[in-house]
Every structure is written in C-alpha cells, then in structure tokens.
Amino acid sequence: MAENDPHQSGADWWRDAVTYEVYVRSFADGNGDGVGDLPGLTARLGYLRDLGVDAVWITPFFTSPQADHGYDVADYLDVDPLFGTLADADELLERAHALGLRVIVDLVPNHTSSQHPWFQEALASEPGSPQRARYLFRDGRGPDGELPPNNWHSVFGGPAWTREPRGQWYLHLFDSAQPDLDWRNPDVGDHFEEVLRFWLDRGVDGFRIDVAHGLVKEEGLRDQLLAAGEQPGSAAPVAGAMVERTMRDEPMWDQPEVHDVYRRWRRVLDEYAARDGRERILIAEAWTQSPESMARFVRPDEMHQAFNFSWLLAPFSAEAFAEVITGTLTAVDLVGASPTWVLSNHDVIRHPTRYGGGERGLARARAATLTMLALPGSAYLYQGEELGLEQVDVAPEHRQDPSWFRTGLPGRDGSRVPVPWAGAAAPYDFGPGQAQPWIPQPAHWRTLTVAAQSDDPDSTLAFYRRALAARRTHLGAASGEPVTDLTVDAGALSFRRGQVTVLLNCGEEPVPLPPGEVLVASGPLSRGPQGTRLLPADRAVWLAAPAAR
Ligand code: GLC
C-alpha cells in the first residue's frame, strides 16, 4: 500500500474512496482468447491508478460454468481457468497494493452454481436428506406435485422454481442454474465464513455482496401477495430495464434475519482490522424498497456501505437529484453511516444512454458524474463510463445474458461490451492478437478508445481525469464536510461542500455563474451578452466557494 498517499492510508479509507468496477470478462484480455482475465487486468492497473481511482471492485472470477457470467459459483475458493489461477489473483493483489489501489472482490452468497458439489450431492440424495437441506427443495403443489410450491417469479423471468428428476422443486430467484442456498442451515454460514477468511488471508480489502437482501427468505415460503393486476416480480434490475421501487409484499427479499449474517461477517472483518489497523469493507448490493431499508444494512455492526441506487434511478432533473441527496443523507445519518453514489454498473443501461443518448446524453452523463463526485461519501464508477461509452444494441445472435434467454428482452449484454483500448478496428487492443471479444465491439468505437482520448483535452477520459484530480485536491480533506445550501432554482441544482460550490444545470436555458474560480467543468462554459459567465444546459461546474464571512 502506498502509505505516503494521504487518500489511501488511514482506517477510514473507504469512506470517501472512488471505486472502479471491473467487469472482468470485458476489461482486458491477457491471453488472447477474447475474454478478459486477471492477468489482463493486472497489466492495466497503471491505467486505473493514473485515472485517479482509489479501489477496484472485480466481478466474480471464481470457478464457474458461466451461466450468469460468474455469478454462478461452483467453487468459491479457486479461480476459473478462463480468468487465470490463484497465483494470478495473488499477483493482482500485490501489484494493486503496490500502486496504492485497494481490491474488492465480489461474493455471491445467495445462490451457488447448479454445478457446485453441494448441489450435485443434493440432486443425488433423497428428499429430506441433509444434502438437500442446504438448498430450498420443496414438494410441489397439485395432486402429483406438478405445480411449483409457491407463486414466486425469477428476477430473470418465469417461475422461480424448477422441478428436478426426483420430483421435488428447488428455488432459484435468478436462473435455474443458480439454486438458492438455505441460509437458515448452519452449514451455509460456516462455509461462507471460511470463504471470507480465505480471501482475507490472500489480502483482499473488501467484499461486494451480491443480492445482499436475498439470502434469507420468509419462513414457510408463502405466496407473494399480489394486488389486482399486479405481476409477480422483484426489486432488482430486470433484464437491463429499471424497475421502480414500489412498496410491495416481498417474502423473498429483505427479511430481518438477513442482518444476523452481516453481523457475523463484520466480526470477522473487524478481527482482521484489529490485527493490522487496515480496515476491510463489506458493501451491499441490496435493491431494497426505501432509503430506510437500505440504511439497515449499514448499521454500525453490519456492512460499511450499500449501493445507493436511488441516484442511478433518478431522472435528469434538479428536483429529483435534490430529493435523492436529501433522502440519502438523512437515511445514512440515522445509522451513522456514510453515503455512496453510483450511476452505472454491469446490470443497468449505461447512463449516457439513459439520459437520451448522443451528444446530449453524454453531456448530461458528464454533468451528473461531476455532481456526484462532489457529494460526501464514496463514488462507484463502472468501466467504460470514463470513455463515454453508450449502451450497445447487441445483435440477438450475440446475446448471452440468461435473462435474454428467459424473457426475450434485450438483457444486460449491451453494458458489458469489452473496453476499447487502442487501434482503429475491433478488438481495439482488448487482448493480444486479433481474437474478437466475446461480444463484438461497434465500429464507431475507434474514436472512443483510451488511446484516441488520451491526448484530447476535450475527451470524456480527460474530463474524468480532471474531475478525479479535482476531487482529491479540493475535497480530499473534506471527508467530514456536509452538503450545505442545497438549492433548486430555474432547473439548476446547487450546493456547497467545503470550499467548493457545485452548480448543475438540468434546465433548458443557460444560467449565470456565481462568482468564484472555475475548478472543473463537465464541458465548455459560455458567455452572455455583457460577457457574463454562463453555465449551458446539461452541464455542471465546481467553483471555488467564496470564503465564509
Ligand atoms: C446481481 C448481479 C447480477 C447477477 C445477479 C445474480 O444482481 O449484479 O449481475 O446476475 O446478482 O447473481
């Protein structure tokens, strides 16, 4: 760890860290097979250090048949040969730490792969056996048990139950190749403690917890109560589309007992921190129903952080952003936690596309990002957003997302297209040689490669580098500084934090800039008739705040 870097040292490093999500299949391919891997990532870590992030979250690289691209784990204690070896993981950790980058790995505790030895043993065992009791096997309804045990639906479409050859049904809230574990069975908790310790011993700095709100189901597995006309469903991104969070009956999600799991894990992490003063963190992926239920995951004896999806779900509107800022800060304050902010990840439509696409979508995306980077707490970036990549319309024959196969909806492949690094044609230096990546990259990406953007001061990459540097320079010491003077006026949002005033114009017309030196802007500013400085629509700026009187 680079101890001389004030941003990196200290127990609370995570409170205001900027973490970059690496979707490992699509970041960098070290061996030329068209799929990203750990050596590919290790070789590109310098790029992330130069970009100015503090930590890297790597999507699952454990042994997996890849039915959901690694979110179906068959062995939590090994690396899938597609991505490398345990030695490659060690090398990655060593190199990242030498560069001052923390490493967060992705833990998938809600379900295993159907190829996991536990599930294979369960299938080979009698109904009622201890092998089956690690999962949620149940008899079906109907005279011959030919109907699923309840009305739950999979997040990826269709019933959440599959009948197995011995006639019972097993629960899978996602794909049928991802059977849900029974977290009321002590074997399960014991195994995951072993998994945590295994990776902590190898040196990881934290865990992103997949489907953190799903582990424990309501006892009895009753039907979900549905209002007239309401479709069974879930609080999670479905097939790349956003679902609105509404209050609904969800016996499969967010049960009170799930918090005991995280209390146990926190004790394990704290034990490691007590040894060397280096805090390791847990971050929840929990699509819960409200900021308050999200806050329950970050009580002082549970996780350190939870993704705040309300920022990502908000439309590009000053009122909506202001409401999310106030709601988030109030919710995390209740439990003394610090907030997080995110605009894109591997499950949702990339934010320039969500904001309308094209030049306007990109201008809005840069503006929302710059605003987010001034807020207290930590920010999560998703690979490729620093290049301004848009969602790709992947041709049906190239789609691989299990949700596409289960629903016929486009799915999430369009946000997972491999990163273009250099060159005028695919594979854009994604890997050595000419192997085409596992999803084709569009021809127009030749102007968006890292190499093409590196020397262009107006590029999105140059903007991200400036914004992250400005965050360190002007807000690096402002960890504890609150948001003040939050205002919405004429479609523009403004607030102050420490020595920085932030202005985001979500309206249609340019707005005059208040006095103060421009520290960083998401795009060019303009001038009014008398030479007044103006902030055009869809743009954000940080100004040096006038000294408090
Ligand atoms: C999470 C992951 C998503 C995965 C799902 C099932 O939502 O982010 O990619 O498909 O869990 O593990």
Side-chain angles (χ1 to χ4, degrees):
M1 191 63 52
E3 294 300 344
N4 55 357
D5 181 345
H7 213 78
Q8 284 292 321
S9 51
D12 273 4
W13 62 271
W14 48 273
R15 282 197 184 269
D16 60 354
V18 176
T19 301
Y20 182 99
E21 178 189 356
V22 166
Y23 191 72
V24 66
R25 292 177 74 86
S26 301
F27 187 69
D29 171 15
N31 63 0
D33 66 356
V35 178
D37 48 39
L38 297 183
L41 166 58
T42 303
R44 298 278 190 187
L45 284 171
Y47 166 76
L48 297 181
R49 194 261 328 264
D50 295 346
L51 180 61
V53 302
D54 306 298
V56 187
W57 146 34
I58 312 168
T59 57
F61 49 78
F62 317 106
T63 311
S64 161
Q66 304 290 309
D68 187 19
H69 293 157
Y71 285 97
D72 49 318
V73 179
D75 181 357
Y76 293 85
L77 305 179
D78 206 350
V79 174
D80 195 282
L82 190 60
F83 303 125
T85 61
L86 278 173
D88 292 329
D90 292 342
E91 211 175 305
L92 166 74
L93 282 160
E94 201 182 307
R95 176 87 186 121
H97 288 163
L99 290 172
L101 295 167
R102 314 269 172 167
V103 178
I104 294 171
V105 297
D106 206 325
L107 193 67
V108 189
N110 179 66
H111 43 263
T112 68
S113 158
S114 53
Q115 297 305 313
H116 191 286
W118 274 7
F119 193 70
Q120 290 297 312
E121 282 168 26
L123 287 181
S125 306
E126 292 300 319
S129 59
Q131 287 82 355
R132 287 200 165 207
R134 292 169 178 146
Y135 294 88
L136 291 156
F137 282 86
R138 293 291 182 274
D139 293 331
R141 296 199 276 206
D144 300 310
E146 73 282 10
L147 298 172
N150 69 25
N151 69 349
W152 298 1
H153 264 224
S154 151
V155 173
F156 293 162
W161 295 92
T162 290
R163 201 169 194 191
E164 48 82 38
R166 287 173 197 254
Q168 280 201 306
W169 297 74
Y170 66 89
L171 180 72
H172 51 86
L173 292 177
F174 293 86
D175 192 63
S176 55
Q178 295 165 298
D180 279 50
L181 287 161
D182 185 354
W183 271 86
R184 295 179 190 276
N185 181 328
D187 280 6
V188 174
D190 291 347
H191 179 54
F192 275 88
E193 181 167 336
E194 187 196 337
V195 173
L196 287 179
R197 290 182 185 280
F198 178 86
W199 289 103
L200 288 167
D201 287 342
R202 299 195 100 86
V204 306
D205 300 287
F207 301 90
R208 176 258 189 195
I209 309 303
D210 190 63
V211 197
H213 57 314
L215 275 50
V216 182
K217 282 75 180 169
E218 190 180 304
E219 198 121 46
L221 308 184
R222 65 171 172 87
D223 274 348
Q224 179 177 26
L225 301 175
L226 298 169
E230 192 185 1
Q231 294 302 308
S234 60
V238 180
M242 301 300 167
V243 279
E244 283 203 25
R245 282 197 247 175
T246 48
M247 297 308 282
R248 52 189 305 171
D249 178 49
E250 293 186 328
M252 64 292 272
W253 304 119
D254 205 12
Q255 299 300 306
E257 298 93 325
V258 82
H259 297 284
D260 294 334
V261 175
Y262 304 127
R263 292 196 181 98
R264 176 173 181 182
W265 293 5
R266 180 61 180 258
R267 287 194 295 273
V268 173
L269 266 68
D270 284 352
E271 183 191 312
Y272 279 76
R275 284 187 210 156
D276 59 9
R278 195 159 68 82
E279 255 189 297
R280 283 80 164 168
I281 67 158
L282 297 168
I283 164 132
E285 186 222 18
W287 292 85
T288 62
Q289 296 203 8
S290 65
E292 292 74 23
S293 50
M294 186 260 288
R296 282 201 285 272
F297 286 81
V298 288
R299 287 177 285 195
D301 59 347
E302 295 192 42
M303 303 222 205
H304 301 73
Q305 296 183 334
F307 288 109
N308 173 19
F309 292 118
S310 46
W311 185 251
L312 173 158
L313 292 166
F316 190 81
S317 130
E319 287 79 10
F321 285 137
E323 204 178 302
V324 172
I325 293 172
T326 312
T328 301
L329 297 178
T330 310
V332 295
D333 257 10
L334 283 176
V335 291
S338 53
T340 67
W341 311 94
V342 63
L343 283 164
S344 278
N345 65 37
H346 66 284
D347 290 326
V348 303
I349 293 170
R350 284 184 176 278
H351 60 290
T353 309
R354 282 200 325 264
Y355 294 146
E359 262 180 47
R360 186 165 203 205
L362 181 58
R364 289 180 159 191
R366 285 165 58 153
T369 301
L370 188 61
T371 308
M372 164 176 104
L373 289 175
L375 289 167
S378 76
Y380 282 79
L381 308 179
Y382 176 49
Q383 68 182 38
E385 69 171 82
E386 78 279 19
L387 304 177
L389 299 185
E390 281 211 43
Q391 192 77 3
V392 176
D393 187 11
V394 176
E397 65 272 24
H398 294 301
R399 291 184 193 155
Q400 304 198 22
D401 183 348
S403 73
W404 151 251
F405 296 112
R406 288 180 69 89
T407 62
L409 293 169
R412 302 163 296 174
D413 296 313
S415 57
R416 302 172 174 182
V417 178
V419 171
W421 290 95
Y428 301 114
D429 225 11
F430 176 61
Q434 284 308 306
Q436 289 300 314
W438 65 282
I439 313 183
Q441 299 153 307
H444 70 267
W445 276 13
R446 68 182 173 279
T447 57
L448 296 178
T449 64
V450 171
Q453 295 197 38
S454 280
D455 298 324
D456 173 3
D458 297 329
S459 70
T460 302
L461 178 57
F463 157 69
Y464 266 76
R465 286 180 176 151
R466 277 196 301 273
L468 291 167
R471 179 178 161 102
R472 279 188 188 213
T473 309
H474 302 291
L475 292 170
S479 265
E481 296 280 353
V483 168
T484 59
D485 307 321
L486 182 68
T487 319
V488 175
D489 184 23
L493 170 86
S494 64
F495 62 87
R496 180 171 168 164
R497 197 160 161 254
Q499 293 310 304
V500 177
T501 297
V502 180
L503 190 63
L504 164 68
N505 187 359
C506 301
E508 295 295 325
E509 301 299 328
V511 294
L513 274 193
E517 182 201 345
V518 172
L519 302 174
V520 57
S522 67
L525 305 177
S526 57
R527 294 263 172 201
Q530 269 80 47
T532 39
R533 299 187 306 174
L534 296 176
L535 180 67
D538 303 321
R539 219 141 274 175
V541 65
W542 292 9
L543 299 167
R549 270 165 293 161

